[in-house]
Amino acid sequence: MAYRLSGVVLPSGEHRDLWIDVDRISYDPVDGAETLAEDVFLVPGLVDAHCHPGIGAENLEEAAAQALTDRKAGTLLIRDCGVPFDISSLQQREDLPRIIRCGRHLSLPKRYVPGLGIDLDSPDQLPDAVAEQAAAGDGWVKLVGDWIDRSVGDLAPLWPDDVLAEAVKVAHDAGAKVTAHVFGAAALPGLLAAGVDCLEHGTELSAEQLADMARRGIALVPTLVNITENFPGIADAAAKYPIYAAHMRDLHRRVDGLVQAALDAGVAVYAGSDAGGMIDHGRIVDEIELLHRAGMTRTEALGAGAWAARDWLGHQSIADGAPADLLVLTADPREELDALRHPSHIILRGTVTS
């Protein structure tokens, strides 16, 4: 089926006609195309850059249902940021968002959520494990940079700095990028010195470290939905570890300033909901709205969850010849982000899904 659309194309703001020919966008007319919508706003499919289709699922069908929930909310590209089993077969399903797989979290025993990651017997196994995950994934590897260490009662790094540096080099030599879960300050110097490509959460980054990230081109995915909604409860449940509980409450208090500080430093910030486990799937628009409230303009926040994130992850937006993955809106999301919640059509791989 071929379609014609006419409207304002974001991010350029140009008003133009475009056609969908099978699964591609065309700027040249297609014979016999049905006019699907006019006087609309055309937005590249949303991106959830920190999503877990598979966490909380018992099998692939349940993981697929999670991804379908994301698609119905407008997420057409997912960066899987660690799942407990192989979801590569979901990439073959044309009804699901495109998925960039990170593979399994790499952690140590009792230093992450049980059952989610691969627990290495010792830190010096990390470089070999990174090589395995780089080969198994889609160009990304996920490390657990810090977690509570019950022996000290607070967040603490998992890996020695020299091991981290070697592991990141192994990934880069294999053509893969490395992202790291990190909440607290203690793990940050080693992660930044090792040259990771992205930090997830990053709630205790200093101004100096953000400046260093900007110089190195290290991105930040702050997952504001998760931090704002869950950190107080995590702290309340950790009464046995009062230092850790106080630390998590402090991180919760300071998160609102994180995005503005990152923007001021020139760090690239992207939208990730952290869906899976404690956050429901389908909440990318909540994350985009929180990025706006935390300091981004509406257009910047929209870009962080759409065209800028697509460019970062190597996927096209709306362009001649690009895959036809886009949202059709009747209102301008640059004026009101809530418009993203009410698309008249969601088009994935050229198919109108809603």
Side-chain angles (χ1 to χ4, degrees):
M1 187 71 181
Y3 300 103
R4 170 183 166 269
L5 294 161
S6 181
V8 175
V9 177
L10 299 182
S12 70
E14 175 188 16
H15 192 292
R16 67 168 306 131
D17 290 356
L18 60 82
W19 287 261
I20 296 174
D21 188 8
V22 187
D23 63 348
R24 295 278 161 174
I25 294 168
S26 173
Y27 283 177
D28 295 324
V30 175
D31 291 341
E34 171 191 335
T35 295
L36 188 64
E38 296 182 301
D39 297 322
V40 290
F41 296 86
L42 305 174
V43 179
L46 301 182
V47 179
D48 193 334
H50 186 128
C51 189
H52 303 282
I55 289 182
E58 295 293 328
N59 51 50
L60 280 169
E61 279 306 307
E62 291 184 6
Q66 293 174 342
L68 185 61
T69 297
D70 291 314
R71 190 209 75 191
K72 290 178 178 178
T75 295
L76 303 186
L77 176 62
I78 287 171
R79 184 180 62 143
D80 138 40
C81 230
V83 293
F85 53 86
D86 182 7
I87 62 167
S88 58
S89 63
L90 299 186
Q91 294 175 304
Q92 310 308 314
R93 288 190 44 169
E94 296 198 350
D95 62 326
L96 299 181
R98 301 179 195 273
I99 300 173
I100 300 169
R101 293 178 301 113
C102 266
R104 302 286 301 276
H105 302 77
L106 296 177
S107 59
L108 292 171
K110 298 183 179 180
R111 297 300 308 279
Y112 195 55
V113 180
L116 292 190
I118 297 174
D119 290 343
L120 307 182
D121 292 332
S122 67
D124 59 11
Q125 294 177 336
L126 183 64
D128 287 344
V130 163
E132 291 173 1
Q133 291 303 302
D138 297 327
W140 282 91
V141 176
K142 173 73 175 291
L143 307 181
V144 178
D146 73 355
W147 196 251
I148 184 173
D149 182 339
R150 288 164 178 81
S151 68
V152 299
D154 199 4
L155 294 167
L158 273 73
W159 318 105
D161 290 353
D162 59 338
V163 172
L164 264 180
E166 182 182 355
V168 172
K169 182 178 186 303
V170 165
H172 289 170
D173 287 348
K177 295 181 179 180
V178 177
T179 194
H181 161 105
V182 59
F183 286 154
L188 287 167
L191 291 168
L192 295 177
V196 297
D197 301 279
C198 182
L199 294 179
E200 312 298 319
H201 320 299
T203 37
E204 207 162 15
L205 282 158
S206 68
E208 293 77 12
Q209 288 167 335
L210 287 166
D212 188 30
M213 287 176 66
R215 286 192 297 270
R216 295 171 180 265
I218 300 172
L220 175 65
V221 181
T223 66
L224 298 180
V225 171
N226 185 16
I227 294 166
T228 57
E229 294 186 6
N230 290 323
F231 274 29
I234 292 171
D236 290 345
K240 185 178 178 181
Y241 303 100
I243 295 173
Y244 168 71
H247 198 170
M248 296 300 283
R249 290 190 182 97
D250 181 61
L251 295 178
H252 178 260
R253 283 191 293 269
R254 64 189 294 166
V255 71
D256 282 347
L258 173 64
V259 170
Q260 187 61 64
L263 295 175
D264 290 344
V267 174
V269 177
Y270 301 106
S273 70
D274 207 354
M278 299 178 76
I279 295 294
D280 290 338
H281 285 264
R283 297 195 58 188
I284 191 59
V285 178
D286 291 341
E287 185 70 19
I288 291 170
E289 289 185 334
L290 285 173
L291 287 172
H292 168 54
R293 294 173 197 166
M296 286 185 160
T297 67
R298 290 185 182 87
T299 300
E300 288 172 338
L302 182 54
W307 54 83
R310 286 180 164 273
D311 184 60
W312 176 53
L313 294 172
H315 283 247
Q316 291 178 283
S317 293
I318 297 175
D320 191 24
D325 300 344
L326 63 151
L327 309 185
V328 182
L329 308 179
T330 57
D332 189 346
R334 297 170 298 178
E335 297 297 327
E336 182 49 64
L337 290 171
D338 190 63
L340 294 169
R341 301 185 188 278
H342 311 288
S344 62
H345 303 89
I346 297 174
I347 302 171
L348 175 63
R349 299 181 176 90
T351 297
V352 179
T353 66
S354 62

